[in-house]
Amino acid sequence: MRAIALLLLFPFISCLAAQDTAAVPQRSIPAGYAHTLAYQVDQGPTATAVMCSVTIHCQSQWGVKVRLLDTDAKTVLAFGAEQEAQVGGPGTVNVNLQMPARSGRHPLIVILQPVLPGTISCYGSVNTDAGTLLMAGAESTKALVHGLTAPLDMFAVFRQDFDVPADFTSSVEVDFGPTTAPMTFALEGAGRGLSEIRVYDVTGGDVLLGSITAAPSGIMQTANSFTTPAYAGRVTLRVQVIGDGFAGDVFWALWLPNDHAVTGLGGDGISKQVSAAKKDGGGCVAGGSGGAAWVAAIVLGLFRRHRRRYMPRR
């Protein structure tokens, strides 16, 4: 009888054994700072969907915002690749994210940030319902400032306000590894006073890979994915921000596959020094979202500041 009971319970026991958990160590995060942690979720040799969840306990009156990102899913603009939640004071935040059916290891990013201006203390855990979970790295907290950054060298992010017509040129060097193959990545952009954000393949002769465009109002909140030619080794991409002649702000991000690390950044200055007009009514998007500029400010606040790094970085 006991043998039959154990046999009936075996599928349930196997399911439990496939679950995994990892700690989010206790952190003290000052106002205006963020903390980024990276985990690797091994989805096994056979394509398996994995439900990931993060639970964060905030011990401070200022509250905590929690973001959970599947960066490999973001490279192909998969639905649900990013989730977030927050609590406005002491309490617990739970965020769930479904990783699509895939095999192998894929990164899971956790970003913690105070909701209100004050230093917070928080801790928690990350859990999966399948596969194994490994801590891959943590970003020490950095001030939220403008510029070109590469959090944990996993993706590239740019933020800038401008009172002159936007004209920014940034370079991102990416390691394609030893095997020649193309790379699919995503370019995400948001802001106002914009016309277009373009991405070029510098290594292949400064060839335009594609662009994302703003609405006629100059408001941008969009993303698109592109594929490079087949390369091995280090490859340089150039991102160009083109304004519509009015003042504004810009955020863009290059979301890269997990096996393509950022190895160099450069060129994040303003090249045109002429006054830009103020566009009447151009600062927000209709509706309850608060506008692309507000979205960009929230998203961009989560990434650390590198001092300008000139390529190549060894």
Side-chain angles (χ1 to χ4, degrees):
M1 190 71 179
R2 179 178 296 178
I4 295 174
L6 288 174
L7 191 61
L8 292 173
L9 283 172
F10 181 76
F12 179 67
I13 295 171
S14 299
C15 180
L16 287 179
Q19 297 173 342
D20 205 359
T21 186
V24 175
Q26 183 147 3
R27 301 295 186 198
S28 179
I29 307 172
Y33 283 60
H35 191 70
T36 303
L37 303 100
Y39 299 84
Q40 286 282 337
V41 180
D42 190 341
Q43 298 183 239
T46 304
T48 304
V50 176
M51 176 61 73
C52 303
S53 62
V54 60
T55 300
I56 300 296
H57 306 286
C58 179
Q59 301 166 305
S60 308
Q61 61 179 316
W62 311 113
V64 64
K65 175 186 290 183
V66 182
R67 293 178 65 211
L68 195 58
L69 299 91
D70 176 351
T71 55
D72 277 354
K74 288 186 74 70
T75 66
V76 294
L77 306 179
F79 178 77
E82 178 177 347
Q83 302 292 339
E84 71 171 61
Q86 66 182 48
V87 62
T92 299
V93 179
N94 295 290
V95 184
N96 298 312
L97 184 147
Q98 177 74 58
M99 281 187 158
R102 298 174 299 201
S103 60
R105 292 185 177 185
H106 300 272
L108 183 70
I109 305 297
V110 179
I111 303 175
L112 309 174
Q113 180 184 8
V115 173
L116 300 173
T119 298
I120 64 170
S121 179
C122 58
Y123 68 97
S125 63
V126 178
N127 300 275
T128 64
D129 68 351
T132 56
L133 186 61
L134 302 170
M135 181 71 181
E139 183 82 83
S140 58
T141 53
K142 297 290 184 180
L144 307 180
V145 293
H146 295 69
L148 182 62
T149 68
L152 295 170
D153 295 332
M154 296 178 67
F155 46 91
V157 180
F158 179 80
R159 176 192 180 187
Q160 193 61 265
D161 298 327
F162 49 89
D163 291 324
V164 299
D167 183 11
F168 301 94
T169 299
S170 303
S171 297
V172 180
E173 185 185 75
V174 181
D175 188 353
F176 276 53
T179 303
T180 300
M183 176 187 74
T184 297
F185 66 96
L187 173 63
E188 177 184 359
R192 58 191 175 91
L194 301 173
S195 175
E196 194 174 12
I197 302 178
R198 302 171 180 171
V199 58
Y200 293 84
D201 171 12
V202 176
T203 299
D206 212 29
V207 176
L208 179 65
L209 293 174
S211 63
I212 53 178
T213 58
S217 63
I219 296 294
M220 177 182 288
Q221 188 174 353
T222 189
N224 203 353
S225 60
F226 308 99
T227 300
T228 70
Y231 289 118
R234 295 185 177 184
V235 174
T236 300
L237 303 178
R238 177 168 65 88
V239 181
Q240 182 181 10
V241 177
I242 301 171
D244 67 351
F246 295 89
D249 53 77
V250 61
F251 153 72
W252 60 254
L254 281 182
W255 298 105
L256 308 173
N258 74 89
D259 53 354
H260 289 66
V262 176
T263 53
L265 299 174
D268 56 356
I270 297 176
S271 59
K272 289 185 178 179
Q273 298 297 328
V274 295
S275 297
K278 300 290 186 180
K279 178 178 286 187
D280 293 336
C284 62
V285 176
S289 67
W294 179 86
V295 173
I298 295 296
V299 174
L300 290 160
L302 299 169
F303 302 109
R304 67 178 175 124
R305 169 67 169 165
H306 281 275
R307 297 289 183 185
R308 180 182 293 183
R309 297 181 293 174
Y310 295 92
M311 299 181 357
R313 191 185 70 188
R314 303 298 179 188

